[in-house]
């Protein structure tokens, strides 16, 4: 079993003693878990992090954020991926408008640094 943080490891240690010996911590991203208290006011985005592919439901995410935006939702969105999204963004007027109005922030087209990914997690209420 691979878990992404010491927080997750503690959950296993507390709840599932028989698996504790087979759990490996590979710290991935969630550095805000290490803080005593989280500032919920800084969590303003519903975000997508990872490969922007159909197999990860990226198309469903795009359909949802465009739907929410067209319906007048006050939600803000963020995408962080190494996948190059130039073709998708250049063809989609709604996504372009969302970006121009700071409703959608997109970082793409290159491998992201852990600090960049951490920032997306830190600023997101849902990923």
């Amino acid at each position: 079993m691979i878990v992404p943080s010491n927080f997750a490891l503690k959950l296993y240690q507390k709840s599932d003693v028989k698996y504790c010996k087979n759990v490996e911590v590979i710290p991935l991203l969630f550095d805000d878990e290490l803080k005593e208290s989280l500032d919920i006011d800084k969590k303003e985005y519903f975000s997508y992090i990872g490969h922007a592919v159909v197999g990860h439901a990226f198309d469903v995410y795009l359909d949802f954020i465009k739907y929410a935006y067209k319906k007048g939702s006050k939600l803000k969105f963020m995408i962080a991926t190494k996948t190059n999204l130039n073709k998708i963004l250049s063809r989609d007027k709604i996504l372009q408008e969302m970006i121009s109005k700071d409703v959608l922030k997109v970082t793409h087209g290159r491998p992201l640094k852990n600090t960049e990914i951490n920032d997306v997690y830190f600023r997101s209420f849902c990923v």
Side-chain angles (χ1 to χ4, degrees):
M1 176 70 67
I2 298 172
V3 295
S5 66
N6 289 328
F7 177 82
L9 177 62
K10 288 177 188 172
L11 289 176
Y12 271 97
Q13 290 171 334
K14 181 178 176 184
S15 308
D16 210 338
V17 177
K18 70 180 182 176
Y19 290 114
C20 282
K21 293 178 181 152
N22 298 321
V23 176
E24 182 76 28
V25 176
I26 298 178
L28 295 178
L29 306 166
F30 308 94
D31 65 347
D32 63 344
E33 287 183 344
L34 303 176
K35 297 179 181 177
E36 291 290 321
S37 61
L38 300 178
D39 186 351
I40 197 66
D41 292 329
K42 291 182 179 174
K43 295 193 173 283
E44 58 182 324
Y45 294 95
F46 176 59
S47 300
Y48 183 97
I49 301 173
H51 293 293
V53 295
V54 173
H56 292 181
F58 184 67
D59 56 329
V60 175
Y61 176 81
L62 289 181
D63 288 344
F64 170 73
I65 68 173
K66 291 189 294 185
Y67 171 81
Y69 176 73
K70 288 189 287 187
K71 290 293 184 182
S73 170
K74 299 299 180 197
L75 290 174
K76 293 172 75 175
F77 308 97
M78 193 180 312
I79 299 170
T81 180
K82 73 177 185 177
T83 307
N84 187 319
L85 301 177
N86 284 336
K87 282 186 181 179
I88 293 170
L89 297 174
S90 67
R91 294 178 185 165
D92 196 305
K93 300 294 183 200
I94 296 170
L95 293 176
Q96 290 173 20
E97 181 178 321
M98 292 172 70
I99 292 168
S100 72
K101 293 185 175 184
D102 288 327
V103 174
L104 173 62
K105 294 191 181 298
V106 182
T107 305
H108 70 104
R110 62 178 171 73
L112 304 177
K113 298 175 185 173
N114 277 350
T115 54
E116 292 174 296
I117 298 170
N118 283 343
D119 184 59
V120 177
Y121 274 101
F122 183 75
R123 297 171 65 192
S124 300
F125 63 85
C126 184
V127 178

